[in-house]
Amino acid sequence: MDKIIHIFKWVRSNFFYLTFTVFLLLYIWWFRLNPIVFDPGEQANAPLIFGLILLSIYGFIIGLLRFLQNYLFIRVAFFIMAILFLTANSLFVFFCIPQPIASARFGNDTYYVTSNPPFLECCSYYQFTKWEGIFHYESNFFGYHVPQVKFIHDKKTNEVSLVDVSEGFEKLYKTLEKSHQSYEGYAKLENHLYYYSVTCNSSEDWICETRTYMFYQCELDNTSCNALPIEYTTGMNGQGNLQANESSKEIKFYFMSPVSGDDRILILSYGESPACFVDGCSVVR
């Protein structure tokens, strides 16, 4: 019993220093998730820096309390300030610390995608961070809308990708690092999965004059993805749609344009004999 009382008294007398240590560990974890960067993604710096300023003020105040033993009135004032900044740090960490929605470790590299609440921003956003070992990292803004995802590692190409698992099956979402390739569409035919990507061909004023659709064939586990020898370039806005035809063993790509008024236009088919059906589509030899 005496030992419990002794521990209780020690915690009470060192309460501020213990909470400072807890906050310090939380901010180290915060830095691990969203480190300081000066490239695209630097919006994640502001909440971390603001939190460290709050923690520094809190540490300064509780440090002064140790030297104010003989000044009761001033000590009470600083004690109240310590309580206020303890509360401010607690609320800030509770509401603003980034939350990892996906994480993985492959070899010496660790990956995170974090969800971040708005702080001096219009909206919440997502951040991607990669740590190579302990000291080297890269971190970038990842988007305002990200589905439920998980990391996978393609041992054949040594690339890391994210797959969308929000619809009850795994659909390739984005390949990171080397190719930085995003994927859309989804079709399964026999032992392969098929996707397409869209590239904006912009003018000098950064407006997409045309868009190029490229197509990929992947293994069923979303690895070993290869570009197919067929592509489509158009200046129309619209939505693509991939469909698998089991009887002909072909993948068909349709384009739905709000301008044309058609429900859908058959653009190309891919099988033993790839074929194009509109201008702008070409089979790459």
Side-chain angles (χ1 to χ4, degrees):
M1 187 67 179
D2 292 340
K3 188 174 182 180
I4 295 176
I5 294 175
H6 176 74
I7 293 174
F8 177 78
K9 289 181 178 179
W10 182 86
V11 170
R12 185 182 62 182
S13 61
N14 293 277
F15 175 75
F16 286 129
Y17 305 105
L18 290 172
T19 55
F20 179 86
T21 302
V22 171
F23 284 132
L24 183 61
L25 293 174
L26 286 172
Y27 282 113
I28 291 173
W29 172 240
W30 191 325
F31 180 82
R32 178 73 176 177
L33 296 176
N34 284 359
I36 301 294
V37 292
F38 302 98
D39 295 313
E42 61 185 359
Q43 74 274 13
N45 295 348
L48 176 58
I49 292 173
F50 183 79
L52 290 174
I53 292 173
L54 281 179
L55 183 62
S56 298
I57 296 173
Y58 180 57
F60 177 74
I61 292 171
I62 63 177
L64 284 178
L65 282 173
R66 180 177 290 274
F67 300 100
L68 295 173
Q69 302 292 336
N70 299 323
Y71 302 91
L72 180 61
F73 180 78
I74 299 177
R75 180 176 171 81
V76 169
F78 273 88
F79 183 85
I80 294 172
M81 291 175 61
I83 294 295
L84 291 175
F85 274 92
L86 170 62
T87 304
N89 274 279
S90 300
L91 292 174
F92 184 75
V93 169
F94 181 80
F95 286 107
C96 293
I97 192 169
Q99 300 296 319
I101 66 165
S103 62
R105 182 179 178 86
F106 304 112
N108 293 323
D109 299 336
T110 306
Y111 300 82
Y112 300 101
V113 173
T114 57
S115 172
N116 299 265
F119 181 82
L120 305 178
E121 292 275 329
C122 68
C123 316
S124 59
Y125 61 94
Y126 296 86
Q127 189 91 351
F128 166 74
T129 298
K130 173 189 175 183
W131 283 88
E132 298 178 14
I134 300 176
F135 301 106
H136 186 266
Y137 63 82
E138 60 178 276
S139 186
N140 295 284
F141 170 78
F142 198 66
Y144 288 108
H145 303 283
V146 176
Q148 183 181 356
V149 292
K150 76 171 188 177
F151 288 98
I152 62 170
H153 179 228
D154 189 335
K155 295 181 180 179
K156 295 179 182 178
T157 62
N158 196 31
E159 288 193 312
V160 174
S161 299
L162 284 167
V163 294
D164 180 350
V165 296
S166 61
E167 298 179 14
F169 57 92
E170 296 185 2
K171 182 171 62 175
L172 194 59
Y173 182 72
K174 188 178 182 69
T175 298
L176 307 167
E177 302 175 285
K178 296 178 183 178
S179 58
H180 292 280
Q181 186 66 63
S182 297
Y183 302 90
E184 300 182 32
Y186 174 86
K188 178 182 177 182
L189 182 62
E190 296 185 318
N191 296 321
H192 292 96
L193 301 177
Y194 294 84
Y195 302 94
Y196 68 86
S197 66
V198 184
T199 300
C200 171
N201 306 311
S202 59
S203 58
E204 294 182 356
D205 53 3
W206 300 101
I207 296 176
C208 292
E209 293 186 339
T210 61
R211 293 176 174 83
T212 298
Y213 293 75
M214 299 184 66
F215 303 87
Y216 300 86
Q217 181 189 73
C218 307
E219 299 294 330
L220 292 177
D221 60 356
N222 287 300
T223 62
S224 302
C225 295
N226 297 310
L228 299 179
I230 193 166
E231 61 183 42
Y232 173 55
T233 299
T234 178
M236 295 189 300
N237 293 322
Q239 180 66 43
N241 179 255
L242 280 177
Q243 291 190 4
N245 189 316
E246 297 286 349
S247 59
S248 64
K249 299 188 185 319
E250 290 180 321
I251 293 293
K252 296 182 181 293
F253 177 68
Y254 295 89
F255 192 77
M256 292 167 282
S257 171
V259 177
S260 67
D262 295 334
D263 290 336
R264 62 181 188 175
I265 304 169
L266 178 60
I267 303 299
L268 57 88
S269 64
Y270 179 81
E272 289 187 6
S273 300
C276 289
F277 303 101
V278 297
D279 293 335
C281 174
S282 60
V283 178
V284 182
R285 299 298 180 183

